[in-house]
Amino acid sequence: MSLEKLQEIKEMVEKKSGSARTPDRDAKLLLLYVFTGTRGGFTRLQIINLLSETPMNKNQLAQIMNLDYKAIQHHLNALEKNNLVTKLGEKYGATFHLSNYLEANILALHVVIEKLERQMSRKIVYL
């Protein structure tokens, strides 16, 4: 996890937030849980960042992120279960993109990014 990647995600949120409304409390709590309250939250945040640019399937995400296909499948299932991504198509070739719910509450990601930045600044790094 790096501050550069968080800055890149923050820029994506600012770019997409032009027509977004103020997020409701439930959206903030959901995003905080999915991205900071569970293991793999930073990976899920990276997936959201990639899908904001263009819809992709599981294999494309696995290749770009240098992760196992099953790991990508697990994270996408968690995102889909929480209504943050939607799937178009069936089986292997299904493409994923950001859900309308996430796009409407994209500003709630600012809270998530701030919390991740605070967590990273608290960690002690030994050289």
Side-chain angles (χ1 to χ4, degrees):
M1 187 177 343
S2 68
L3 288 173
E4 295 85 27
K5 292 217 183 232
L6 278 178
Q7 186 62 32
E8 179 183 322
I9 294 167
K10 188 184 267 187
E11 290 170 6
M12 178 274 300
V13 170
E14 290 171 2
K15 184 174 72 171
K16 285 204 156 273
S17 66
S19 64
R21 62 182 170 87
T22 305
D24 59 355
R25 183 175 183 274
D26 292 335
K28 285 181 186 177
L29 291 174
L30 174 68
L31 294 179
L32 280 170
Y33 171 73
V34 171
F35 297 117
T36 64
T38 59
R39 291 182 64 189
F42 187 72
T43 302
R44 292 184 186 120
L45 200 55
Q46 289 178 304
I47 290 172
I48 293 296
N49 188 33
L50 289 171
L51 292 179
S52 72
E53 297 168 12
T54 181
M56 295 184 202
N57 64 25
K58 295 173 190 174
N59 190 42
Q60 291 167 329
L61 285 167
Q63 289 176 349
I64 290 172
M65 294 182 70
N66 268 344
L67 289 175
D68 186 51
Y69 179 84
K70 289 285 188 177
I72 295 293
Q73 185 175 17
H74 166 75
H75 290 297
L76 283 173
N77 286 343
L79 290 170
E80 189 176 17
K81 183 178 102 176
N82 289 297
N83 194 27
L84 300 176
V85 297
T86 54
K87 179 170 66 169
L88 290 174
E90 295 293 322
K91 298 187 182 180
Y92 182 75
T95 58
F96 292 85
H97 60 90
L98 300 183
S99 69
N100 292 335
Y101 177 75
L102 179 59
E103 287 187 3
N105 292 295
I106 197 82
L107 290 176
L109 281 177
H110 275 295
V111 177
V112 171
I113 293 168
E114 289 171 5
K115 184 167 183 178
L116 285 172
E117 286 175 338
R118 283 193 309 270
Q119 286 177 349
M120 289 177 67
S121 66
R122 278 188 290 168
K123 294 190 180 192
I124 299 171
V125 178
Y126 295 100
L127 298 175

